[in-house]
Coordinates of all heavy atoms in Angstrom, one line a residue:
M385 N -3.9 13.5 -21.1 CA -4.1 12.1 -20.6 C -4.2 12.2 -19.1 O -3.3 12.6 -18.4 CB -3.0 11.2 -21.0 CG -3.3 9.7 -20.8 SD -1.8 8.7 -21.3 CE -1.0 8.5 -19.7
D386 N -5.4 11.8 -18.5 CA -5.4 11.8 -17.1 C -5.0 10.4 -16.5 O -5.2 9.4 -17.1 CB -6.7 12.2 -16.5 CG -7.9 11.7 -17.2 OD1 -7.9 10.5 -17.6 OD2 -8.9 12.4 -17.3
S387 N -4.3 10.5 -15.4 CA -3.7 9.3 -14.8 C -4.7 8.8 -13.8 O -5.4 9.6 -13.1 CB -2.4 9.6 -14.2 OG -2.4 10.9 -13.6
P388 N -4.7 7.5 -13.6 CA -5.7 6.9 -12.7 C -5.5 7.3 -11.2 O -4.3 7.4 -10.8 CB -5.5 5.4 -12.9 CG -4.2 5.3 -13.5 CD -3.9 6.5 -14.2
Q389 N -6.5 7.6 -10.5 CA -6.5 7.9 -9.1 C -6.8 6.7 -8.3 O -7.7 5.9 -8.6 CB -7.5 9.0 -8.8 CG -7.3 10.3 -9.6 CD -6.5 11.3 -8.8 OE1 -6.8 11.7 -7.7 NE2 -5.4 11.8 -9.4
R390 N -6.1 6.6 -7.2 CA -6.3 5.5 -6.3 C -6.4 6.0 -4.8 O -5.8 7.1 -4.6 CB -5.2 4.4 -6.3 CG -5.2 3.7 -7.6 CD -6.4 2.7 -7.8 NE -6.3 1.9 -9.0 CZ -6.7 2.3 -10.2 NH1 -7.2 3.5 -10.3 NH2 -6.6 1.6 -11.2
M391 N -7.1 5.3 -4.0 CA -7.2 5.8 -2.6 C -6.2 5.2 -1.7 O -5.9 4.0 -1.7 CB -8.6 5.4 -2.1 CG -9.0 6.1 -0.8 SD -10.7 5.6 -0.3 CE -10.4 3.9 0.2
C392 N -5.6 6.1 -0.9 CA -4.7 5.6 0.2 C -5.5 4.9 1.2 O -6.5 5.5 1.7 CB -3.9 6.8 0.8 SG -3.0 6.4 2.3
M393 N -5.2 3.7 1.6 CA -6.0 2.9 2.6 C -5.9 3.5 4.0 O -6.7 3.2 4.8 CB -5.7 1.4 2.5 CG -4.3 1.1 3.1 SD -4.0 -0.7 3.0 CE -2.5 -0.6 2.0
S394 N -4.9 4.4 4.2 CA -4.7 4.9 5.5 C -5.5 6.3 5.7 O -6.2 6.4 6.6 CB -3.2 5.1 5.8 OG -3.0 5.4 7.1
C395 N -5.2 7.2 4.8 CA -5.9 8.5 5.0 C -7.1 8.7 4.1 O -7.9 9.6 4.2 CB -4.9 9.7 4.7 SG -4.2 9.7 3.0
R396 N -7.3 7.7 3.2 CA -8.5 7.6 2.3 C -8.6 8.8 1.4 O -9.7 9.2 0.9 CB -9.8 7.5 3.2 CG -9.7 6.2 4.0 CD -11.1 5.8 4.6 NE -11.1 4.5 5.1 CZ -11.4 3.4 4.4 NH1 -11.8 3.5 3.1 NH2 -11.3 2.2 4.9
R397 N -7.5 9.4 1.1 CA -7.5 10.5 0.1 C -7.1 9.9 -1.2 O -6.4 8.9 -1.3 CB -6.5 11.6 0.4 CG -6.9 12.4 1.6 CD -6.0 13.7 1.7 NE -6.1 14.3 3.0 CZ -5.2 14.2 4.0 NH1 -4.0 13.7 3.7 NH2 -5.4 14.8 5.1
Q398 N -7.6 10.5 -2.3 CA -7.3 10.1 -3.6 C -5.9 10.7 -4.1 O -5.7 11.8 -3.9 CB -8.4 10.5 -4.6 CG -9.7 9.9 -4.3 CD -9.9 8.5 -4.8 OE1 -9.2 8.0 -5.7 NE2 -10.9 7.8 -4.2
Y399 N -5.1 9.8 -4.7 CA -3.8 10.3 -5.2 C -3.6 9.7 -6.6 O -4.2 8.7 -7.0 CB -2.7 9.8 -4.3 CG -2.6 10.4 -3.0 CD1 -3.2 9.8 -1.9 CD2 -1.9 11.6 -2.8 CE1 -3.1 10.4 -0.6 CE2 -1.8 12.2 -1.6 CZ -2.4 11.6 -0.5 OH -2.3 12.2 0.8
D400 N -2.8 10.4 -7.3 CA -2.3 9.9 -8.6 C -1.6 8.5 -8.3 O -0.9 8.4 -7.3 CB -1.2 10.9 -9.1 CG -0.9 10.6 -10.6 OD1 -0.4 9.4 -10.8 OD2 -1.0 11.5 -11.4
K401 N -1.9 7.6 -9.0 CA -1.4 6.2 -8.8 C 0.1 6.2 -8.6 O 0.6 5.4 -7.8 CB -1.8 5.4 -10.0 CG -1.8 3.9 -9.8 CD -2.3 3.2 -11.1 CE -2.1 1.7 -11.0 NZ -2.5 1.1 -12.3
R402 N 0.8 7.0 -9.4 CA 2.3 7.0 -9.3 C 2.8 7.5 -8.0 O 4.0 7.4 -7.7 CB 2.9 7.8 -10.5 CG 2.7 7.1 -11.8 CD 3.0 8.1 -12.9 NE 2.1 9.3 -12.8 CZ 2.1 10.3 -13.7 NH1 2.9 10.3 -14.7 NH2 1.3 11.3 -13.5
D403 N 1.9 8.3 -7.3 CA 2.4 8.8 -6.0 C 2.1 7.9 -4.8 O 2.2 8.3 -3.6 CB 1.7 10.2 -5.7 CG 2.2 11.2 -6.7 OD1 3.3 11.1 -7.2 OD2 1.4 12.1 -7.1
L404 N 1.7 6.7 -5.1 CA 1.3 5.7 -4.1 C 2.2 4.5 -4.1 O 2.9 4.3 -5.1 CB -0.1 5.3 -4.3 CG -1.2 6.3 -4.1 CD1 -2.5 5.9 -4.7 CD2 -1.4 6.6 -2.6
I405 N 2.2 3.8 -3.0 CA 2.9 2.5 -3.0 C 1.8 1.5 -3.1 O 0.8 1.5 -2.4 CB 3.7 2.3 -1.6 CG1 4.8 3.4 -1.5 CG2 4.2 0.9 -1.5 CD1 5.3 3.6 -0.1
R406 N 2.0 0.6 -4.1 CA 1.0 -0.5 -4.3 C 1.5 -1.8 -3.7 O 2.6 -2.2 -3.8 CB 0.9 -0.7 -5.8 CG -0.2 -1.7 -6.1 CD -0.4 -1.8 -7.6 NE -1.7 -2.6 -7.9 CZ -1.7 -3.7 -8.7 NH1 -0.6 -4.1 -9.3 NH2 -2.8 -4.4 -8.8
I407 N 0.6 -2.4 -2.9 CA 0.8 -3.7 -2.3 C -0.2 -4.6 -3.0 O -1.4 -4.3 -3.1 CB 0.7 -3.6 -0.8 CG1 1.6 -2.6 -0.2 CG2 1.0 -5.0 -0.2 CD1 0.9 -1.3 0.3
V408 N 0.3 -5.8 -3.3 CA -0.6 -6.7 -4.0 C -0.7 -8.0 -3.3 O 0.3 -8.5 -2.7 CB -0.1 -7.0 -5.5 CG1 -0.8 -8.2 -6.1 CG2 -0.2 -5.8 -6.3
R409 N -1.9 -8.6 -3.3 CA -2.1 -9.9 -2.8 C -2.4 -10.8 -4.0 O -3.4 -10.6 -4.7 CB -3.2 -10.0 -1.8 CG -3.4 -11.4 -1.3 CD -4.5 -11.6 -0.4 NE -4.7 -13.0 -0.1 CZ -5.7 -13.6 0.5 NH1 -6.7 -12.8 0.9 NH2 -5.8 -14.9 0.7
S410 N -1.6 -11.8 -4.2 CA -1.8 -12.7 -5.3 C -1.8 -14.1 -4.7 O -0.7 -14.6 -4.4 CB -0.8 -12.5 -6.4 OG -1.0 -13.5 -7.4
G411 N -2.9 -14.7 -4.5 CA -3.0 -16.0 -3.8 C -2.4 -15.9 -2.4 O -2.9 -15.0 -1.6
E412 N -1.4 -16.6 -2.1 CA -0.8 -16.6 -0.7 C 0.3 -15.5 -0.6 O 0.8 -15.2 0.4 CB -0.2 -17.9 -0.4 CG -1.2 -19.0 -0.2 CD -2.2 -18.8 0.9 OE1 -1.7 -18.7 2.1 OE2 -3.4 -18.6 0.7
N413 N 0.7 -15.0 -1.8 CA 1.8 -14.0 -1.8 C 1.3 -12.6 -1.6 O 0.3 -12.2 -2.2 CB 2.5 -14.1 -3.1 CG 3.3 -15.4 -3.3 OD1 3.8 -15.9 -2.3 ND2 3.3 -16.0 -4.4
I414 N 2.0 -11.9 -0.7 CA 1.7 -10.4 -0.6 C 3.1 -9.7 -0.7 O 4.1 -10.1 -0.1 CB 1.1 -10.2 0.8 CG1 -0.2 -10.9 1.0 CG2 0.9 -8.7 1.0 CD1 -0.7 -10.9 2.4
F415 N 3.1 -8.7 -1.6 CA 4.3 -8.1 -1.9 C 4.1 -6.6 -2.3 O 3.0 -6.3 -2.8 CB 5.2 -8.8 -2.9 CG 4.4 -9.1 -4.2 CD1 4.5 -8.2 -5.3 CD2 3.5 -10.2 -4.3 CE1 3.7 -8.5 -6.4 CE2 2.8 -10.4 -5.4 CZ 2.9 -9.6 -6.5
V416 N 5.2 -5.8 -2.3 CA 5.2 -4.5 -2.8 C 5.3 -4.6 -4.3 O 6.3 -5.1 -4.8 CB 6.2 -3.6 -2.2 CG1 6.3 -2.2 -2.8 CG2 6.0 -3.4 -0.7
D417 N 4.4 -4.0 -5.0 CA 4.4 -4.1 -6.5 C 5.0 -2.8 -7.1 O 4.3 -1.8 -7.3 CB 3.0 -4.3 -7.0 CG 3.0 -4.2 -8.6 OD1 4.0 -4.5 -9.2 OD2 1.9 -3.9 -9.1
K418 N 6.3 -2.8 -7.3 CA 7.0 -1.6 -7.8 C 6.7 -1.4 -9.3 O 6.9 -0.3 -9.8 CB 8.5 -1.8 -7.6 CG 8.9 -1.7 -6.1 CD 10.3 -2.0 -5.9 CE 10.6 -2.0 -4.4 NZ 11.3 -3.2 -3.9
T419 N 6.2 -2.4 -10.0 CA 5.9 -2.2 -11.4 C 4.5 -1.7 -11.6 O 4.1 -1.2 -12.7 CB 6.0 -3.6 -12.1 OG1 4.9 -4.4 -11.7 CG2 7.3 -4.2 -11.9
F420 N 3.6 -1.7 -10.6 CA 2.2 -1.4 -10.7 C 1.4 -2.2 -11.7 O 0.3 -1.9 -12.1 CB 2.0 0.1 -11.1 CG 2.4 1.1 -10.0 CD1 3.6 1.6 -9.9 CD2 1.4 1.5 -9.1 CE1 4.0 2.5 -8.8 CE2 1.7 2.3 -8.0 CZ 3.0 2.9 -7.9
K421 N 2.0 -3.3 -12.0 CA 1.4 -4.2 -13.1 C 1.1 -5.6 -12.7 O 0.5 -6.4 -13.4 CB 2.3 -4.2 -14.3 CG 2.2 -2.9 -15.1 CD 3.3 -2.9 -16.2 CE 3.3 -1.6 -16.9 NZ 4.5 -1.4 -17.7
A422 N 1.5 -5.9 -11.4 CA 1.3 -7.3 -11.0 C -0.2 -7.6 -10.9 O -1.0 -6.8 -10.5 CB 2.0 -7.5 -9.6
A423 N -0.6 -8.8 -11.2 CA -2.0 -9.2 -11.1 C -2.3 -9.6 -9.7 O -1.4 -10.0 -8.9 CB -2.2 -10.5 -12.0
G424 N -3.5 -9.4 -9.3 CA -4.0 -9.7 -8.0 C -4.7 -8.5 -7.4 O -4.9 -7.5 -8.0
R425 N -5.1 -8.6 -6.2 CA -5.8 -7.6 -5.5 C -4.8 -6.6 -5.0 O -3.9 -6.9 -4.2 CB -6.6 -8.2 -4.3 CG -7.6 -7.3 -3.7 CD -8.1 -7.9 -2.4 NE -8.6 -6.8 -1.5 CZ -9.9 -6.5 -1.6 NH1 -10.8 -7.1 -2.3 NH2 -10.4 -5.5 -0.8
G426 N -5.0 -5.3 -5.3 CA -4.1 -4.3 -4.9 C -4.6 -3.4 -3.8 O -5.8 -3.2 -3.7
A427 N -3.7 -2.9 -3.0 CA -4.1 -1.9 -2.0 C -3.0 -0.8 -2.0 O -1.9 -1.1 -2.4 CB -4.1 -2.5 -0.6
Y428 N -3.4 0.4 -1.7 CA -2.4 1.5 -1.9 C -2.2 2.3 -0.6 O -3.2 2.5 0.2 CB -3.0 2.5 -2.9 CG -3.1 1.8 -4.3 CD1 -4.3 1.1 -4.6 CD2 -2.1 2.0 -5.2 CE1 -4.4 0.5 -5.8 CE2 -2.3 1.3 -6.5 CZ -3.4 0.6 -6.8 OH -3.5 0.0 -8.0
V429 N -1.0 2.8 -0.4 CA -0.8 3.7 0.7 C 0.1 4.9 0.1 O 1.0 4.7 -0.7 CB -0.1 3.0 1.9 CG1 1.3 2.4 1.5 CG2 0.0 3.9 3.1
C430 N -0.2 6.1 0.6 CA 0.6 7.3 0.1 C 1.9 7.4 0.8 O 2.2 6.6 1.8 CB -0.2 8.5 0.2 SG -0.5 9.1 1.9
H431 N 2.7 8.3 0.4 CA 4.1 8.5 1.0 C 4.1 9.3 2.3 O 5.2 9.6 2.8 CB 5.0 9.1 0.0 CG 5.5 8.1 -1.0 ND1 4.8 7.8 -2.2 CD2 6.6 7.2 -1.0 CE1 5.5 6.9 -2.9 NE2 6.5 6.5 -2.2
N432 N 3.0 9.6 2.8 CA 2.9 10.3 4.1 C 3.3 9.3 5.2 O 2.7 8.2 5.4 CB 1.5 10.8 4.3 CG 1.4 11.7 5.5 OD1 2.1 11.6 6.5 ND2 0.5 12.7 5.4
K433 N 4.3 9.7 6.0 CA 4.8 8.8 7.1 C 3.8 8.5 8.1 O 3.8 7.4 8.6 CB 6.0 9.5 7.8 CG 7.4 9.2 7.1 CD 8.1 8.0 7.9 CE 9.4 7.7 7.2 NZ 10.1 6.6 7.7
E434 N 2.9 9.4 8.3 CA 1.8 9.1 9.3 C 0.9 8.0 8.8 O 0.3 7.2 9.5 CB 0.9 10.4 9.5 CG 1.6 11.4 10.3 CD 0.8 12.7 10.4 OE1 -0.4 12.7 10.1 OE2 1.5 13.8 10.7
C435 N 0.7 7.9 7.5 CA -0.1 6.9 6.9 C 0.6 5.5 7.1 O 0.0 4.5 7.3 CB -0.3 7.1 5.4 SG -1.6 8.4 5.2
L436 N 1.9 5.5 7.0 CA 2.7 4.3 7.2 C 2.5 3.8 8.6 O 2.2 2.7 8.9 CB 4.2 4.5 6.9 CG 5.1 3.4 7.3 CD1 4.9 2.1 6.5 CD2 6.6 3.8 7.2
Q437 N 2.6 4.8 9.6 CA 2.5 4.5 11.0 C 1.1 3.9 11.3 O 1.0 2.9 12.0 CB 2.8 5.7 11.8 CG 4.3 6.0 11.9 CD 4.6 7.4 12.2 OE1 3.7 8.2 12.5 NE2 5.9 7.8 12.2
R438 N 0.1 4.5 10.7 CA -1.3 4.1 11.0 C -1.5 2.7 10.4 O -2.2 1.8 10.9 CB -2.3 5.1 10.3 CG -3.6 5.1 11.0 CD -4.5 6.1 10.4 NE -3.9 7.4 10.4 CZ -4.0 8.3 9.4 NH1 -4.8 8.1 8.4 NH2 -3.4 9.5 9.5
L439 N -0.9 2.5 9.2 CA -1.0 1.2 8.5 C -0.5 0.1 9.4 O -1.1 -1.0 9.5 CB -0.2 1.3 7.2 CG -0.2 0.1 6.3 CD1 -1.4 0.2 5.4 CD2 1.1 0.1 5.5
V440 N 0.7 0.3 10.0 CA 1.3 -0.7 10.8 C 0.6 -0.9 12.1 O 0.2 -2.0 12.5 CB 2.8 -0.3 11.1 CG1 3.5 -1.3 12.1 CG2 3.6 -0.2 9.8
K441 N 0.2 0.2 12.7 CA -0.4 0.2 14.0 C -1.8 -0.5 14.0 O -2.1 -1.3 14.9 CB -0.6 1.7 14.5 CG -0.9 1.8 16.0 CD -1.0 3.2 16.4 CE -1.7 3.4 17.8 NZ -2.1 4.7 18.0
H442 N -2.5 -0.2 13.0 CA -3.9 -0.8 12.9 C -4.0 -2.0 12.0 O -5.1 -2.4 11.7 CB -4.9 0.3 12.5 CG -4.9 1.5 13.5 ND1 -5.5 1.3 14.8 CD2 -4.5 2.7 13.4 CE1 -5.4 2.5 15.4 NE2 -4.8 3.4 14.6
K443 N -2.8 -2.4 11.5 CA -2.8 -3.6 10.6 C -3.8 -3.4 9.4 O -4.6 -4.3 9.1 CB -3.1 -4.9 11.3 CG -2.1 -5.2 12.4 CD -2.3 -6.6 12.9 CE -1.6 -7.0 14.2 NZ -0.1 -6.7 14.2
L444 N -3.8 -2.2 8.8 CA -4.7 -1.9 7.8 C -4.6 -2.9 6.6 O -5.6 -3.1 5.9 CB -4.6 -0.5 7.3 CG -4.9 0.6 8.4 CD1 -4.6 2.0 7.8 CD2 -6.3 0.5 8.8
L445 N -3.4 -3.4 6.4 CA -3.2 -4.3 5.3 C -3.9 -5.6 5.5 O -4.5 -6.1 4.5 CB -1.7 -4.5 5.1 CG -1.1 -4.7 3.7 CD1 -1.7 -3.6 2.7 CD2 0.4 -4.6 3.7
S446 N -3.9 -6.1 6.7 CA -4.6 -7.3 7.0 C -6.1 -7.1 6.8 O -6.8 -8.0 6.3 CB -4.4 -7.7 8.5 OG -3.0 -7.9 8.7
K447 N -6.6 -5.9 7.1 CA -8.0 -5.6 6.9 C -8.3 -5.5 5.4 O -9.4 -6.1 4.9 CB -8.4 -4.4 7.6 CG -8.5 -4.6 9.1 CD -8.7 -3.3 9.9 CE -8.6 -3.5 11.4 NZ -8.2 -2.3 12.1
A448 N -7.5 -4.9 4.7 CA -7.7 -4.7 3.2 C -7.7 -6.1 2.5 O -8.5 -6.3 1.6 CB -6.6 -3.8 2.6
F449 N -6.8 -6.9 2.9 CA -6.7 -8.2 2.2 C -7.4 -9.4 2.9 O -7.5 -10.5 2.5 CB -5.2 -8.6 2.1 CG -4.4 -7.7 1.1 CD1 -3.1 -7.4 1.4 CD2 -5.0 -7.3 0.0 CE1 -2.4 -6.6 0.5 CE2 -4.3 -6.5 -0.9 CZ -3.0 -6.1 -0.6
K450 N -8.0 -9.0 4.1 CA -8.7 -10.0 4.9 C -7.9 -11.3 5.2 O -8.4 -12.4 5.1 CB -10.0 -10.3 4.2 CG -10.9 -9.1 4.1 CD -12.3 -9.5 3.5 CE -13.3 -8.4 3.5 NZ -12.8 -7.2 2.8
C451 N -6.6 -11.1 5.5 CA -5.8 -12.2 5.9 C -4.6 -11.7 6.7 O -4.4 -10.5 6.8 CB -5.3 -12.9 4.7 SG -4.1 -12.0 3.7
E452 N -3.9 -12.6 7.3 CA -2.7 -12.2 8.0 C -1.6 -11.7 7.0 O -1.4 -12.3 6.0 CB -2.1 -13.4 8.8 CG -2.9 -13.7 10.1 CD -2.8 -12.5 11.1 OE1 -1.6 -12.0 11.3 OE2 -3.8 -12.1 11.6
V453 N -0.9 -10.7 7.4 CA 0.1 -10.1 6.6 C 1.5 -10.3 7.3 O 1.6 -9.8 8.4 CB -0.1 -8.6 6.2 CG1 1.0 -8.1 5.5 CG2 -1.4 -8.5 5.4
P454 N 2.4 -11.0 6.8 CA 3.7 -11.3 7.5 C 4.4 -10.0 7.7 O 4.4 -9.1 6.9 CB 4.4 -12.2 6.6 CG 3.7 -12.3 5.3 CD 2.3 -11.7 5.5
P455 N 5.2 -9.9 8.8 CA 5.9 -8.7 9.1 C 6.9 -8.2 8.1 O 7.1 -7.0 7.9 CB 6.7 -9.0 10.4 CG 6.0 -10.2 10.9 CD 5.4 -10.9 9.8
N456 N 7.4 -9.1 7.3 CA 8.4 -8.7 6.2 C 7.7 -7.9 5.2 O 8.4 -7.1 4.5 CB 9.0 -10.0 5.6 CG 8.1 -10.8 4.8 OD1 7.2 -11.4 5.3 ND2 8.3 -10.8 3.5
V457 N 6.4 -8.0 5.0 CA 5.7 -7.2 4.0 C 5.7 -5.7 4.5 O 6.0 -4.8 3.7 CB 4.3 -7.7 3.8 CG1 3.5 -6.7 2.9 CG2 4.3 -9.1 3.2
Y458 N 5.4 -5.6 5.8 CA 5.5 -4.2 6.4 C 6.9 -3.6 6.3 O 7.0 -2.4 6.0 CB 5.0 -4.2 7.8 CG 3.5 -4.4 7.9 CD1 2.9 -5.6 8.2 CD2 2.6 -3.3 7.7 CE1 1.5 -5.7 8.3 CE2 1.2 -3.4 7.8 CZ 0.7 -4.6 8.1 OH -0.7 -4.8 8.2
A459 N 7.9 -4.5 6.5 CA 9.3 -4.0 6.4 C 9.6 -3.6 4.9 O 10.3 -2.6 4.7 CB 10.2 -5.1 6.8
E460 N 9.0 -4.3 4.0 CA 9.2 -4.0 2.6 C 8.6 -2.6 2.2 O 9.1 -1.9 1.5 CB 8.5 -5.1 1.7 CG 9.3 -5.5 0.5 CD 8.5 -6.5 -0.3 OE1 8.1 -7.5 0.2 OE2 8.3 -6.3 -1.5
I461 N 7.4 -2.4 2.8 CA 6.7 -1.1 2.6 C 7.6 0.0 3.2 O 7.8 1.0 2.6 CB 5.3 -1.1 3.2 CG1 4.5 -2.2 2.5 CG2 4.6 0.2 3.0 CD1 3.2 -2.5 3.2
E462 N 8.0 -0.2 4.5 CA 8.8 0.8 5.1 C 10.0 1.2 4.4 O 10.4 2.3 4.3 CB 9.2 0.3 6.5 CG 8.2 0.6 7.6 CD 8.6 0.1 9.0 OE1 9.6 0.6 9.5 OE2 7.9 -0.8 9.5
A463 N 10.6 0.2 3.7 CA 11.8 0.4 2.9 C 11.5 1.4 1.8 O 12.4 2.2 1.4 CB 12.4 -0.9 2.4
E464 N 10.3 1.4 1.3 CA 9.9 2.3 0.2 C 10.0 3.8 0.7 O 10.1 4.7 -0.1 CB 8.5 2.0 -0.3 CG 8.5 0.7 -1.1 CD 9.3 0.7 -2.3 OE1 9.1 1.6 -3.2 OE2 10.3 0.0 -2.4
Y465 N 9.8 4.0 2.0 CA 9.8 5.4 2.5 C 11.2 5.9 2.7 O 11.4 7.1 2.9 CB 9.0 5.4 3.8 CG 7.5 5.3 3.7 CD1 6.9 4.1 3.5 CD2 6.7 6.4 3.8 CE1 5.6 4.0 3.3 CE2 5.4 6.4 3.6 CZ 4.8 5.1 3.4 OH 3.4 5.0 3.3
D466 N 12.1 5.1 2.7 CA 13.5 5.5 2.9 C 14.3 5.9 1.6 O 15.4 6.3 1.7 CB 14.3 4.4 3.7 CG 13.7 4.2 5.1 OD1 13.1 5.2 5.6 OD2 13.8 3.1 5.6
R467 N 13.6 5.7 0.5 CA 14.3 5.9 -0.7 C 14.4 7.4 -1.0 O 13.6 8.2 -0.7 CB 13.6 5.3 -1.9 CG 13.7 3.8 -1.9 CD 13.3 3.1 -3.2 NE 11.9 3.5 -3.5 CZ 11.4 3.4 -4.7 NH1 12.1 2.9 -5.7 NH2 10.2 3.7 -4.9
Ligands
LIG636 ZN1 -2.3 8.4 3.0

């Protein structure tokens, strides 16, 4: 069974979905989707710290979702790297 590949929005490499952090925009809500099943528009970032830094620095999430992303969302993503 092959697992779905998704692109990290920061390094643009393809990864196994399970190796990525999924962020979802559903209407006005933006959140880290730990279940990988939430409905809405998804964006992915890999576990490479450099990708996180680039994501924050260049506000890649705002670009992916074409809207303002509140700082707490970035904090939520960062928390995923500390696990
Ligand atoms: Zn990456």
Side-chain angles (χ1 to χ4, degrees):
M385 191 180 96
D386 43 36
S387 38
Q389 300 265 304
R390 292 289 183 276
M391 191 180 73
C392 168
M393 69 183 120
S394 190
C395 62
R396 301 196 166 266
R397 289 195 196 105
Q398 299 280 338
Y399 289 93
D400 192 303
K401 201 174 166 182
R402 289 167 304 184
D403 293 331
L404 293 161
I405 295 165
R406 183 177 192 235
I407 304 105
V408 169
R409 179 187 175 190
S410 177
E412 295 295 299
N413 291 321
I414 301 170
F415 54 94
V416 174
D417 173 27
K418 290 170 181 130
T419 67
F420 286 93
K421 285 173 185 162
R425 188 191 162 92
Y428 299 83
V429 64
C430 71
H431 280 89
N432 190 328
K433 272 261 179 184
E434 285 173 21
C435 284
L436 171 68
Q437 283 157 6
R438 205 177 310 145
L439 182 86
V440 175
K441 194 175 166 198
H442 299 292
K443 299 190 191 308
L444 296 177
L445 213 46
S446 302
K447 284 171 189 158
F449 291 144
K450 297 180 172 62
C451 69
E452 280 298 311
V453 175
N456 69 294
V457 174
Y458 284 101
E460 218 183 310
I461 298 165
E462 273 179 64
E464 288 299 298
Y465 285 78
D466 296 331
R467 288 195 304 165

